[in-house]
Amino acid sequence: MNKKIDRGQATREHLVAVATGLFTEHGYDGTSIEAVLRAADVSRGALYHHFPGKDALFAAVLDTVYDRVEAEGARAIEGMDDPAVALRTACLTWIRSAADPVVRQVMLIDAPAVLGWQRWREGDEARTLGKLKAALRFAAAEGRIAPIRVDFFAHVLLAGLNEIAMLIARAEDQASAAAEGEAAAGDLLDRLLGK
Amino acid sequence: MNKKIDRGQATREHLVAVATGLFTEHGYDGTSIEAVLRAADVSRGALYHHFPGKDALFAAVLDTVYDRVEAEGARAIEGMDDPAVALRTACLTWIRSAADPVVRQVMLIDAPAVLGWQRWREGDEARTLGKLKAALRFAAAEGRIAPIRVDFFAHVLLAGLNEIAMLIARAEDQASAAAEGEAAAGDLLDRLLGK
DNA sequence: GTATGAACAGACCGTCAGTCGGTTTGTCAA
DNA sequence: TTGACAAACCGACTGACGGTCTGTTCATAC
């Protein structure tokens, strides 16, 4: 039971990889299952054997994107012991991750509409948002923000960072926009957490 | 040329009204043109005479929603002469407007995916965002934020308010969530603008 | 009265997501 | 070795949907 399982895994991963490219380039609606099938050279039956539907394929793609972004964040703050510095570093890393068209189109634009806002945020909760809240709880313990603000501010901070990332992405002058955006993000952090 | 024009206007407005209800209840993807046609008791030809496509119908719906939200905001700050108070009032009014399912589903969830983030923000620019930036320029003139932050902070503030609105909307206990959310919005404003 | 064009009607078309009855093929127990 | 089994895969088919196209109606202008 190994060759079969391996083959199935390979097909599944191949589909996710191909779909990632197409979803990024043409968006969810602009990408037909037909196109994925052709690009991956896989049959309809095979795809629907691995995924119950188009949205499940999208969810799988989203999952791998999360994995990558999470890994980048974890690598960036590896070994840091000051939580405040780690938070700031993680936020800047996230903005830089969001420069990637895959992250932008899949995570920020299509995900809320495809999965629904609720499911989207629940997914986030278990990943990025959860860690952000932990960091803010630390700030609350230090008396920098009121404990009751932790949840709202975590969401506000994430949404604000996402917005900055999108602004940078669509700017004409990428380099200067990135510099200004990252400075703005730092400023936002200072103000939000009462430096 | 009056009876005809009036009739056309009426049909158009009727379609927009019916579509608003369906888009709100079932989302953009969950609403078929067929369903709009049936609910409005209008023929395909009539609909496609007034709108080049489904996304144009959505854009028209979005437009009327903007109109309503803008009017609510304008009414709320009518006659106020302190720009800081007006800004705060407008922000809270916006959060309350976003309690409306129409605003949530159409403006916040579907619009970015249907129109694309770029077109969505450009539409916002001409409406809410423009006024927000004007208010922040005022804050910058008072030395509360750096002039270079105006654009980024306006976006961050709007995104943050939207996020708070969505959190309130999906909360189990609406009343207490609204109270906490509005307090958080006030706190956010204080911190962002360096009270 | 006749020409004009906006408003509307509805049959029709191509595309797409998803279904379903098969076939292939690796695995394992007898 | 073989035969049962199930995972993996195949592709024709279905129904729904967005959009097109060829008319038809009718208020208005001249």
Side-chain angles (χ1 to χ4, degrees), chain A:
Chain A
M1 268 297 184
N2 227 322
K3 256 187 180 171
K4 275 178 78 170
I5 288 174
D6 284 354
R7 190 181 164 195
Q9 280 279 343
T11 302
R12 204 193 126 94
E13 278 163 23
H14 180 54
L15 279 169
V16 169
V18 169
T20 300
L22 293 175
F23 283 151
T24 301
E25 195 170 355
H26 307 110
Y28 180 80
D29 262 335
T31 303
S32 68
I33 290 284
E34 200 62 45
V36 176
L37 263 27
R38 252 181 287 124
D41 193 31
V42 161
S43 73
R44 288 190 98 67
L47 189 147
Y48 279 97
H49 174 74
H50 289 286
F51 304 98
K54 192 183 176 182
D55 56 337
L57 175 61
F58 179 84
V61 167
L62 182 61
D63 227 48
T64 67
V65 179
Y66 264 121
D67 284 343
R68 223 187 44 224
V69 169
E70 249 185 327
E72 278 167 14
R75 204 178 320 123
I77 63 170
E78 199 170 43
M80 292 189 175
D81 33 340
D82 183 345
V85 176
L87 173 59
R88 171 172 306 259
T89 306
C91 287
L92 289 185
T93 305
W94 162 234
I95 287 182
R96 284 174 194 147
S97 296
D100 185 344
V102 180
V103 176
R104 249 182 290 147
Q105 186 65 40
V106 173
M107 284 187 73
L108 300 180
I109 298 180
D110 280 333
V114 175
L115 304 179
W117 197 85
Q118 183 87 10
R119 267 174 72 200
W120 176 57
R121 272 294 183 240
E122 276 165 11
D124 240 10
E125 193 78 37
R127 311 202 103 170
T128 41
L129 244 180
K131 286 166 191 159
L132 205 50
K133 286 185 185 173
L136 292 200
R137 265 192 295 276
F138 193 88
E142 281 189 324
R144 303 172 76 179
I145 61 172
I148 202 175
R149 294 278 180 272
V150 166
D151 268 40
F152 277 104
F153 274 17
H155 277 85
V156 165
L157 181 54
L158 188 55
L161 293 176
N162 291 351
E163 189 75 12
I164 290 174
M166 291 299 290
L167 281 173
I168 294 173
R170 73 156 183 174
E172 282 170 30
D173 184 349
Q174 290 281 322
S176 77
E180 272 182 40
E182 287 175 20
D187 200 355
L188 170 65
L189 266 172
D190 289 340
R191 287 164 182 265
L192 212 57
L193 301 186
K195 186 187 180 178

Side-chain angles (χ1 to χ4, degrees), chain B residues 1-4 31-34 44 48 53-54:
Chain B
M1 268 300 183
N2 228 322
K3 258 187 177 168
K4 276 179 77 171
T31 303
S32 69
I33 290 282
E34 201 61 45
R44 287 190 98 67
Y48 279 96
K54 191 184 178 184

Side-chain angles (χ1 to χ4, degrees), chain B residues 13-103:
Chain B
E13 279 163 23
H14 180 53
L15 279 169
V16 169
V18 169
T20 301
L22 293 175
F23 282 151
T24 301
E25 196 170 356
H26 307 110
Y28 180 80
D29 262 335
T31 303
S32 69
I33 290 282
E34 201 61 45
V36 176
L37 262 27
R38 254 182 285 123
D41 194 30
V42 160
S43 73
R44 287 190 98 67
L47 189 146
Y48 279 96
H49 175 75
H50 289 287
F51 304 98
K54 191 184 178 184
D55 57 336
L57 175 60
F58 179 85
V61 167
L62 182 61
D63 226 48
T64 67
V65 179
Y66 263 121
D67 284 343
R68 224 187 43 225
V69 169
E70 248 186 328
E72 279 168 14
R75 205 180 317 122
I77 63 170
E78 200 169 43
M80 290 188 175
D81 32 338
D82 183 346
V85 176
L87 173 59
R88 173 172 304 259
T89 306
C91 288
L92 289 185
T93 306
W94 161 234
I95 288 181
R96 284 174 195 146
S97 296
D100 184 344
V102 180
V103 176

